[in-house]
Each structure stands twice: as C-alpha cells, then as structure tokens.
Amino acid sequence: MSNRSDQRIAVVGLGYVGLPLAIAFTEAGLQVEGIDANGPRVAELAAAHSPIDDISDERLATALADGLSVAEPPSAHLADADVVFVCVPTPITRSKDPDLGPVLNAATLIREHLRAGQLVVLQSTTFPGTTSGPFREELERSGLVAGRDFDLAFAPERVNPGDPASASKGVPRLVGATSQAATGRAAALLRCINDNVIELSSPDAAELAKLLENVFRNVNIALVNQLALLCERMGLDVWEVIDAAATKPFGFMRFTPGPGVGGHCIPVDPYYLSWRAREFDFIDRFVELAGDINFAMPRHVVDLVAEALNDRGKALKGARVGVLGVAFKPNVRDARNSPAAAVIAGLADRGADVHFHDPHVDVFVDADGTQHHGVGLDDLLGASDVVTVVTAHKAIDWDRVFDRADLVVDTVDSSRDRAVRPRQVLRLGAGWSARTSR
Ligand SMILES: NC(=O)c1ccc[n+]([C@@H]2O[C@H](COP(=O)([O-])OP(=O)(O)OC[C@H]3O[C@@H](n4cnc5c(N)ncnc54)[C@H](O)[C@@H]3O)[C@@H](O)[C@H]2O)c1
C-alpha cells in the first residue's frame, strides 16, 4: 500500500456527504477526484459554487486550487485511484422499501475500472449486509475478489447539515471491512481527516450502528409526538412537560415534537432496518410504529389548521393559508423529505389556497408534485387567514409574525417567550395561547 500522502482518492457522489469528504481529504494533502453523475452539479462545483450550506464557495475554490478535480463518470479516472469512496443517495421507494439503485449504479461504475490493490469504501447509509452482499457482488462481476484482490469497507458518515461542529475531526468515525487488514487500512486513511476512528469487526456491524443512531432519533421523536397528541387531549403543555423532564441531569435526553420528520436520513433509514429485519422473519414493530407516528404528524397539522380556522368561524376550504418555513429543519436550505410537503398538499387537498415563505428556499414541490414559489414575509402575512409555522428559521422576523398575524398554528414552539394575544396561537401539543407571553 502506498503511504498516506501518496494516496489518490476518488469520491463518487458529491452531495452533503461526498463534497465535504472530498474537501477534507484535499485539505489533508491528498490527491482527490470527485465524481458525480449529475452534469450540472459537476459544472457548478467546477465553477466553485457550493450547493451545500456548510461548505462556502471560498473553501471550495481553495480546494480546487489545491488540486481537487471534479468530473462526470465518462471523464473520470477511477482506475488511477487507490481508494474509492461511495457517497450516493439511499432513498426508499413509494412503498417504503430500500432503493439500492444509486449504490449499485456506483458499484457498476467502479467495477468497470476496478484493479487489484484498490480499497472501496461505501459511506451511504444502508441496511446490514449491503457492503458484503449486493455491493460486493456487483464489484466482483469484474472477476476480482474482495479480500483477495481488492479491499472493501463500510464507514458511515455522521455529518449533520447546518451544524459545522458535526463535520469536525473530533467526531468519532466508525469503520468495518471484509477483513481485519482491510479495516486497518481504511481506518489509517480515515485518520488523515479524523482524530478518532473506531474499528469494528465487520461492515455489517458498522451499517447497523449507523441505522441504530437514526432509528434512535426517529423512535424518540415519535415518543414525544405521541405525547404531544396526548397533551392536547389532557389540556397540558407538552413543551412545559418536556422542559421539566429535561431538568433531570442523567438518564433523559430532550427530544421535541413537531410537524413530522424530514431530510435524507430520519424518515428513510428506519425502513432500511425494518425491510432487512423481515428477511430474517423478524417484524421490527418498534421501528415501524415510530415511522407511522411521525408520518401521520403532517395530517395532524392540517387538522390543527382546520381547528384554528373553525375558531374564527371559517372553513379550511377556500381559506388562505400561509406556511412559514419549508426546509426540513431550521437554518438550512435542504428541503428533502420535508414534512412541509405533506402539510401543504394536505391543506390544498382540503381546498385551502396555500402559499409559503422561506428565507432559504425559493421553490418547493409538495407531496402531490405541485410546485410552489415562495412569497415575501409581508405578502404572506398580509394575505393569510392563518399562518402555519413548520420550520422556525432564525432569519424570519418573528416579532413581525406575531405582531401582524391574526391567527397562527405553531408546530415548533416558535411563539415561546413572545408576547402573543389570547387565542391568537394554536400550539401543537399545547392548545391555545393564553393572555401574554409565558
Ligand atoms: N445528508 C446527510 O446529512 C447525511 C448524513 C449521514 C449520512 N448520509 C447518507 O449519505 C448518503 C449520501 O447522502 P447525501 O445527503 O450526500 O446525498 P446527496 O443527494 O446530497 O448527494 C448524492 C450525490 O450523488 C450523486 N449520484 C447519485 N448516483 C450517482 C452515481 N451512480 N454515480 C455518481 N454520482 C451519483 C448525485 O448526483 C448527488 O450529487 C446517503 O446514503 C445518506 O443517507 C447523509
């Protein structure tokens, strides 16, 4: 194996995971080629325009000046790489089964150039058995054998878009390969960009550890979402209850309810686990129940909007509904799988006239496939019978919102500590606002 500084790296898939990885290796002094099947994305990157919040154009430009190259598959130099990382999407189908299409397409691309001595590292989140199963089988169609001719590893990613600390060298990384030697090889390479690489016994263990991280989050969000529904019936404030429980200094972790889950990971990854579990005649009811609860939350938000309008003697049908925030979480432009898609489609399906404002997102496609163009905050506030808060970006002028909006449905406690009027705000998990701020 060549020594660390000589290693040539290829990164297949230059999105939220692959681009920061390619830049980190470039900054560590390695020679890196980034490869992406999306031509416009490659052109954008080559022009030093970063499509990702956490990577600035300046940082990308510096990496390009320092030797990072980007290419579409036909003009890539995969055979020259010593190590190939795969960071392509792992979506689910409409029926919520894993879609390994992008991962297997990437494997086909690599297989066409695979040569003895290479190390291939899958980073895409997936079910246990992918790396050593279908991914390996596709690579071995080259005639080369994993463990004998080339090395194969799985190393999950922990980056959390919008949280630069999550990409720091101090966040531990996991890796497991098809042999102990290959695990050591992959770990040694990852130590160029990370201070704490943990070696596991197999790719399967690393794949399941990554799924556990995301399933843990999904299950706990489902737990507090259920609690929110219960609190609405009991006349209690779920936010007060959660804050109170969170004063316990041990054995409790704070999760908050909301309009549903979004992004590439939390709404998707649990289904990778439950699908794989069924192959072992094991129904993972816990995981599936959590998914069902979280997927039902946008419908509950639509019901809350109807309830709020009802309080004013208005019907949802024909009402003008303004949605505030459509990104899947605050302070990012990433709107993939955002619960806003189901909220907007659900409102429109019941006859509402829906508009949105999001300082980070200009165009948004709802769950029915309808494209919406964002409007200015003042336009939204001036033309809405009810404003529904889905994502509480810091960049929104909240004083203005609660000053001007007559009626607000607040799904994320954005009205906390603000002066609000009695029955101005219907809060998810807590009911109507009382006289002033809390
Ligand atoms: N986004 C996150 O925060 C995050 C965190 C941890 C893990 N992950 C996992 O990492 C993987 C990648 O996620 P992402 O958010 O970076 O996705 P992304 O959609 O941002 O980027 C994926 C890129 O891969 C490219 N691509 C798709 N198929 C390709 C192919 N066959 N060959 C070359 N390029 C191809 C796409 O054009 C796209 O640019 C997923 O499995 C995801 O679950 C994501």
Side-chain angles (χ1 to χ4, degrees):
M1 192 180 88
S2 51
N3 80 32
R4 175 180 127 156
S5 57
D6 288 341
Q7 299 225 37
R8 289 159 302 181
I9 309 289
V11 177
V12 179
L14 298 174
Y16 283 86
V17 166
L19 182 60
L21 181 79
I23 290 180
F25 275 123
T26 306
E27 290 172 347
L30 284 82
Q31 200 182 317
V32 184
E33 179 176 52
I35 299 155
D36 201 289
N38 179 341
R41 166 150 297 191
V42 171
E44 190 185 12
L45 292 169
H49 293 308
S50 169
I52 290 167
D53 292 301
D54 296 333
I55 301 286
S56 68
D57 290 349
E58 293 70 31
R59 192 170 166 210
L60 173 58
T62 304
L64 291 167
D66 289 345
L68 171 65
S69 61
V70 289
E72 271 187 82
S75 46
H77 301 89
L78 269 166
D80 294 342
D82 299 300
V83 185
V84 183
F85 284 87
V86 176
C87 310
V88 299
T90 40
I92 47 175
T93 63
R94 270 196 79 79
S95 53
K96 302 203 183 340
D97 287 337
D99 174 6
L100 282 189
V103 165
L104 295 180
N105 287 342
T108 303
L109 176 70
I110 296 164
R111 189 247 296 160
E112 286 161 0
H113 307 273
L114 196 66
R115 60 173 175 80
Q118 283 185 317
L119 164 65
V120 181
V121 185
L122 182 60
Q123 291 220 149
S124 304
T125 307
T126 185
F127 55 79
T130 305
T131 306
S132 54
F135 189 64
R136 172 191 189 135
E137 284 155 20
E138 181 57 29
L139 292 171
E140 289 190 340
R141 286 183 56 220
S142 62
L144 299 175
V145 176
R148 187 189 73 190
D149 303 316
F150 68 97
D151 287 328
L152 188 55
F154 181 78
E157 179 54 68
R158 283 175 165 161
V159 70
N160 178 21
D163 172 14
S166 71
S168 86
K169 291 179 86 170
V171 174
R173 289 290 305 264
L174 308 178
V175 61
T178 45
S179 72
Q180 204 177 347
T183 304
R185 178 182 176 188
L189 180 65
L190 287 168
R191 288 188 183 108
C192 299
I193 57 167
N194 190 282
D195 295 334
N196 189 0
V197 180
I198 297 157
E199 298 180 31
L200 302 186
S201 63
S202 66
D204 301 47
E207 287 162 335
L208 187 53
K210 174 66 192 177
L211 286 186
L212 173 60
E213 293 167 20
N214 287 345
V215 165
F216 171 82
R217 218 174 141 63
N218 198 45
V219 163
N220 280 286
I221 291 169
L223 177 68
V224 290
N225 276 335
Q226 281 266 284
L227 196 71
L229 302 186
L230 179 62
C231 282
E232 285 175 10
R233 292 200 192 181
M234 288 179 154
L236 288 170
D237 178 338
V238 74
W239 306 91
E240 180 188 9
V241 171
I242 291 169
D243 285 350
T247 59
K248 184 180 177 186
F250 50 88
F252 185 84
M253 190 175 285
R254 188 174 189 276
F255 286 85
T256 52
V261 288
H264 191 296
C265 301
I266 306 300
V268 172
D269 299 348
Y271 293 100
Y272 271 68
L273 181 56
S274 56
W275 179 89
R276 183 64 169 149
R278 287 199 295 275
E279 291 207 321
F280 291 82
D281 294 331
F282 189 95
I283 306 297
D284 201 330
R285 292 195 296 274
F286 219 74
V287 168
E288 295 195 349
L289 177 65
D292 288 349
I293 291 169
N294 291 335
F295 269 111
M297 290 309 288
R299 256 176 258 147
H300 180 65
V301 175
V302 174
D303 288 342
L304 285 179
V305 176
E307 183 186 334
L309 286 163
N310 187 55
D311 195 66
R312 297 295 202 286
K314 290 181 182 166
L316 180 52
K317 187 169 182 165
R320 295 166 306 170
V321 182
V323 170
L324 261 187
V326 294
F328 88 88
K329 67 177 183 176
N331 314 321
V332 299
R333 61 178 127 157
D334 188 349
R336 290 177 298 175
N337 300 322
S338 171
V343 169
I344 291 176
L347 291 165
D349 288 349
R350 287 170 64 176
D353 177 17
V354 193
H355 297 279
F356 84 88
H357 169 75
D358 189 311
H360 303 290
V361 182
D362 296 329
V363 179
F364 184 72
V365 178
D366 72 24
D368 289 338
T370 306
Q371 193 179 73
H372 301 259
H373 290 267
V375 300
L377 180 61
D378 282 337
D379 291 340
L380 186 100
L381 295 174
S384 298
D385 298 307
V386 56
V387 169
T388 306
V389 181
V390 171
T391 313
H393 295 299
K394 281 193 196 123
I396 292 174
D397 183 346
W398 292 102
D399 287 337
R400 197 167 184 77
V401 171
F402 291 104
D403 189 41
R404 289 202 52 192
D406 175 50
L407 184 61
V408 178
V409 171
D410 181 9
T411 68
V412 286
D413 205 25
S414 61
S415 53
R416 171 183 289 239
D417 298 330
R418 292 186 189 279
V420 295
R421 301 181 286 282
R423 294 185 94 75
Q424 179 196 9
V425 184
L426 181 58
R427 297 164 60 231
L428 183 141
W432 286 102
S433 55
R435 195 167 309 145
T436 55
S437 65
R438 284 172 293 147

